[in-house]
Amino acid sequence: MDLVPLVERIGESPTAALFGLITGLIFGVAAQRSRFCLRAATVEFARGHMQDKVAVWLLTFSTAVVWVQGAQLLGFLDTSEARMMAVPGSWSGAIIGGLLFGAGMVLARGCSGRLLVLAATGNMRSIVSGLIFAVVAQMSLTGWLAPVRDFLARLWVTSGGRNMDLLAAVHLPKEAGLMIGLLIALLALELSRRNRIGFSRLVFASGVGFAAALGYGLTFALSQVAFDPVQIESLTFTGPSANTLMFLLDRNSILEFDIGLVPGVVIGSFVSAILAREFQFQAFEGASPMRRAMIGAVMMGFGGMLAGGCAIGAGVSGGSIFAGTAWLALFAMWIGGMTMDTLLGGERQAVAA
């Protein structure tokens, strides 16, 4: 793919934003149609079930791993300098942030990516929670909460000035990543068969994982032709939510992949909901759910920034490149979500967001 004419025509920053928009559109449509959500999967698993929510999550995750690892083996992609891999990772941040994020997404009844999708389909509680999430994420990045985040993140970091490549750390061949992805995909397909999940939902679940791989592919391709350094990155919603909020508030902000990503998700989810006749306004059911959602959004905003990514950023994008802290953060999110659901007693919370 020759990107030079496009870059010369509209510029490097607008091209990055355009790629974010395309990635977001695909994610928005696929996530809305598949009802992909880490929170729903963890709650379902915590209650002793391995049904459609777990199957969809596993299929999404495995699809991202297969596409990313396959592209690397074929020489089409190199994620060794991706944003998550090229800087030191925080083990302490992954543990503490992951637990906070996981517990928060259960309280808010949706992870950050799911809240964005639901907000675009008329869910007012997701709009409120999403705004709180973005504000707290920004506070954790550069605001009043940044010193706390920095302190916790520095307690235990990866060595060597980079994140840990799990495959290299355990001396596995490069092909092992693809094989792991295929094995998880087989498990997901077997669970899908047992739960009689429709073909279209499986396709859309795979589409979420493909969007994560596409983000890496597009930013990598841009990095090969751009004059200025371009970060190789993909789907994540902690940083992009904060950056999009600041872009709307600061006229001096510049376009980048993040700025296109969030609007792309909103547009894709909105169009998908309209076409499926699933758009409808929904409000909080009462004061107690509202309080929980707001507390959960705060926990996700701080936890996601501390963990180095949200359920999508660490859980799918980071997991697909086998970043050590991403896998640890994902594990902590599962534990945090399952623990919070157990503490709530599974009471009257529908598994589906």
Side-chain angles (χ1 to χ4, degrees):
M1 179 171 59
D2 186 7
L3 297 179
V4 175
L6 177 62
V7 172
E8 290 181 343
R9 183 177 181 84
I10 68 174
E12 295 176 6
S13 294
T15 300
L18 175 62
F19 286 169
L21 180 68
I22 293 171
T23 303
L25 284 170
I26 295 174
F27 174 86
V29 172
Q32 196 279 328
R33 298 303 300 142
S34 67
R35 299 190 293 280
F36 167 84
C37 180
L38 177 61
R39 172 259 170 190
T42 57
V43 168
E44 186 176 84
F45 189 79
R47 299 177 188 179
H49 306 300
M50 291 282 282
Q51 297 177 338
D52 62 315
K53 311 300 186 303
V54 174
V56 165
W57 189 90
L58 288 174
L59 185 57
T60 291
F61 180 79
S62 62
T63 301
V65 173
V66 168
W67 274 98
V68 170
Q69 294 299 315
Q72 293 199 109
L73 289 174
L74 293 173
F76 297 139
L77 176 64
D78 181 7
T79 60
S80 61
E81 295 303 318
R83 175 190 287 185
M84 187 170 289
M85 294 297 297
V87 298
S90 170
W91 299 116
S92 55
I95 296 171
I96 300 170
L99 290 172
L100 284 172
F101 188 96
M105 70 182 180
V106 171
L107 289 173
R109 294 182 62 185
C111 65
S112 51
R114 182 61 177 166
L115 290 181
L116 192 59
V117 171
L118 290 175
T121 64
N123 192 307
M124 304 305 292
R125 65 173 172 81
S126 294
I127 293 176
V128 173
S129 299
L131 287 173
I132 294 174
F133 167 79
V135 170
V136 174
Q138 184 61 46
M139 291 174 63
S140 304
L141 180 63
T142 60
W144 288 95
L145 294 176
V148 180
R149 177 185 61 83
D150 288 339
F151 172 77
L152 294 175
R154 290 173 182 170
L155 292 176
W156 186 18
V157 298
T158 57
S159 59
R162 293 176 57 86
N163 207 329
M164 176 187 286
D165 182 333
L166 285 179
L167 297 180
V170 295
H171 307 292
L172 289 176
K174 294 181 179 180
E175 295 79 8
L178 178 60
M179 301 312 302
I180 291 172
L182 290 173
L183 289 174
I184 298 175
L186 289 175
L187 173 60
L189 291 174
E190 173 60 19
L191 288 176
S192 300
R193 184 191 66 80
R194 292 182 182 180
N195 291 284
R196 300 180 180 179
I197 300 176
F199 178 75
S200 63
R201 190 177 179 193
L202 294 180
V203 171
F204 284 118
S206 297
V208 178
F210 172 75
L214 179 65
Y216 279 129
L218 291 175
T219 54
F220 174 74
L222 180 58
S223 73
Q224 302 303 293
V225 301
F227 179 78
D228 295 320
V230 173
Q231 288 185 323
I232 301 170
E233 57 187 316
S234 188
L235 289 169
T236 186
F237 294 108
T238 310
S241 295
N243 292 338
T244 302
L245 177 64
M246 293 308 298
F247 180 82
L248 297 175
L249 297 176
D250 185 357
R251 294 177 60 184
N252 295 319
S253 299
I254 61 173
L255 288 170
E256 54 185 343
F257 182 85
D258 289 1
I259 306 305
L261 178 64
V262 173
V265 174
V266 172
I267 295 170
S269 302
F270 174 76
V271 172
S272 177
I274 291 293
L275 293 177
R277 298 181 180 180
E278 294 179 356
F279 182 91
Q280 65 178 64
F281 289 108
Q282 301 176 57
F284 286 102
E285 294 110 359
S288 180
M290 183 175 183
R291 284 194 298 270
R292 284 185 181 178
M294 295 173 71
I295 294 172
V298 171
M299 294 171 68
M300 284 196 297
F302 181 76
M305 195 61 71
L306 176 60
C310 62
I312 305 296
V316 178
S317 297
S320 67
I321 62 175
F322 286 86
T325 59
W327 278 71
L328 180 58
L330 175 60
F331 178 74
M333 289 175 191
W334 275 85
I335 298 299
M338 294 169 60
T339 301
M340 180 56 70
D341 184 68
T342 301
L343 291 174
L344 293 175
E347 35 113 287
R348 291 195 301 274
Q349 281 204 97
V351 173

